[in-house]
Amino acid sequence: MSRQRLIAFLAALAAVVGLVILVPMASTASAAGCAGAWSPSSVYTGGMTASYNSHNWLAKWWTQGETPGAAEVWSDQGACTGGSGGTGGTTGGGGTGCSYPAWVAGRSYVTGDIVQYTNGLDYIATHDNPGYDPTISTWYWSPYTCSGSGGTTGGGTNPPAGGFVVSEAQFNQMFPGRNSFYTYGGLTAALGSYPGFATTGSDTVKKQEAAAFLANVSHETGGLVYIVEQNTANYSHYCDYSQPYGCPAGQSAYYGRGPIQLSWNFNYKAAGDSLGIDLLDNPNLVQTDPAVAWKTGLWYWNTQSGPGTMTPHNAMVNGAGFGETIRSINGSIECNGGNPAEVQDRVNAYLNFTSILGVPAGNNLSC
């Protein structure tokens, strides 16, 4: 019997027996709007949403690269329309999944705040400032690329990490006793200075590089506990007066500071020139500004070969292995039998961190 004839029959029956028949009507409810498109390269934490194949999905816990609908981490929130609703893809500059507040001149901002400037591009505050122009005051602002994750959409002290492969929860797990100076926000604010870091190669390689950097940092700082070099007797040794610029901050001013323990006047000069910060005259910035401290660590990691033959970044992305990063940092002081206990301490940290990130450690762990 057709639906029309069934309805007519029920109506006639109702008239005979005095019943009220409620005839089901076709649903007129519309699907929800689509969240930002899921991106396999983006990091999602519990409670964040993304759209995939015209459905919205809710992340139950931290995830990256696990496809909605094919992984238990995602909870289907139902069909969606409009917006992206597609099959993923990262967007930038205030695009899908990212809607940062407009920059306002004269409004106070804190490190980590993200704004959209009048040119349509996004910027992240690398230092607290009273509303300086992001395109002029580059000391206080850095360009920021949206992760497209559809998560947090405003500024604050804990913004999205721009797709960083280490979540804040994992960072805290790696460094349970860290000094409060070494903030996760300071680290993620520094990432924009070296966009190739932990974003090159496969997802496994990206996580291996992040783990390698943080393992070496852990060794240099006693688990992110020490901000400055503890052996004060060495402080006066780090001034190379053969350099034409000398040591304007004083002979004892260039001791080890920060996550990679930046030392020597020529390294402060080179790092400062690269980062656009006068560290030769202001070395204390490395021990007072978390973002500057992290930037100096990333500067060495991404640009310096040290006593090795390649940068630690290249060692990890080109398959030379974790051992080569040790060589680039301390060379024969530790490698080639120089101090096997120190090497093993670094390797142990790396194995721990790769385990936390869920990736294999790879080959060539020692030097």
Side-chain angles (χ1 to χ4, degrees):
M1 181 183 294
S2 69
R3 185 173 187 274
Q4 290 80 4
R5 293 180 64 186
L6 175 61
I7 292 173
F9 170 76
L10 291 173
L13 179 62
V16 172
V17 298
L19 296 177
V20 176
I21 302 297
L22 297 178
V23 179
M25 303 296 292
S27 174
T28 58
S30 58
C34 287
W38 172 76
S39 169
S41 64
S42 294
V43 170
Y44 301 86
T45 56
M48 295 177 69
T49 59
S51 62
Y52 184 78
N53 283 344
S54 297
H55 275 239
N56 281 330
W57 300 84
L58 177 72
K60 301 177 185 177
W61 54 80
W62 188 96
T63 179
Q64 182 185 39
E66 296 178 284
T67 307
E72 184 182 355
V73 64
W74 292 102
S75 173
D76 190 352
Q77 302 300 291
C80 66
T81 60
S84 54
T87 56
T90 301
T91 60
T96 300
C98 298
S99 179
Y100 300 117
W103 168 78
V104 178
R107 175 180 293 175
S108 294
Y109 294 97
V110 299
T111 301
D113 280 349
I114 305 173
V115 298
Q116 186 173 85
Y117 190 60
T118 54
N119 59 7
L121 300 179
D122 297 328
Y123 293 84
I124 185 169
T126 50
H127 299 85
D128 297 356
N129 69 87
Y132 293 143
D133 189 309
T135 62
I136 297 175
S137 302
T138 54
W139 164 253
Y140 295 96
W141 295 95
S142 292
Y144 181 80
T145 301
C146 158
S147 68
S149 66
T152 304
T153 57
T157 57
N158 257 338
F164 187 39
V165 295
V166 179
S167 71
E168 186 167 10
Q170 290 170 325
F171 179 77
N172 290 335
Q173 184 180 355
M174 292 172 177
F175 303 103
R178 64 181 171 84
N179 190 305
S180 60
F181 172 79
Y182 291 111
T183 63
Y184 181 76
L187 172 57
T188 57
L191 296 177
S193 296
Y194 296 97
F197 171 73
T199 63
T200 305
S202 67
D203 286 346
T204 294
V205 170
K206 294 172 188 175
K207 292 179 181 179
Q208 286 173 338
E209 183 182 11
F213 171 74
L214 292 172
N216 280 297
V217 160
S218 180
H219 178 83
E220 295 291 327
T221 61
L224 286 185
V225 171
Y226 302 118
I227 302 172
V228 301
E229 184 176 351
Q230 297 300 289
N231 187 357
T232 57
N234 284 340
Y235 281 17
S236 62
H237 298 166
Y238 298 118
C239 178
D240 181 0
Y241 276 111
S242 70
Q243 303 297 330
Y245 40 78
C247 298
Q251 178 176 325
S252 300
Y254 303 100
Y255 51 85
R257 294 179 177 89
I260 210 77
Q261 293 290 282
L262 186 71
S263 308
W264 290 97
N265 56 330
F266 48 81
N267 279 327
Y268 278 86
K269 176 72 162 61
D273 288 348
S274 176
L275 296 168
I277 307 169
D278 183 7
L279 296 181
L280 185 65
D281 290 293
N282 302 285
N284 277 333
L285 285 173
V286 184
Q287 70 185 68
T288 58
D289 189 313
V292 172
W294 283 113
K295 284 181 180 181
T296 62
L298 291 170
W299 165 78
Y300 191 94
W301 184 267
N302 288 278
T303 70
Q304 302 299 298
S305 299
T309 60
M310 63 188 76
T311 67
H313 168 73
N314 286 337
M316 294 307 297
V317 302
N318 293 325
F322 179 73
E324 280 302 311
T325 72
I326 304 174
R327 190 180 303 279
S328 297
I329 292 172
N330 253 1
S332 61
I333 294 176
E334 293 184 18
C335 296
N336 304 325
N339 195 328
E342 295 291 287
V343 170
Q344 190 59 49
D345 184 69
R346 295 180 193 264
V347 172
N348 291 344
Y350 176 64
L351 292 173
N352 180 31
F353 293 173
T354 51
S355 175
I356 290 173
L357 296 179
V359 292
N363 300 319
N364 306 319
L365 297 184
S366 185
C367 62

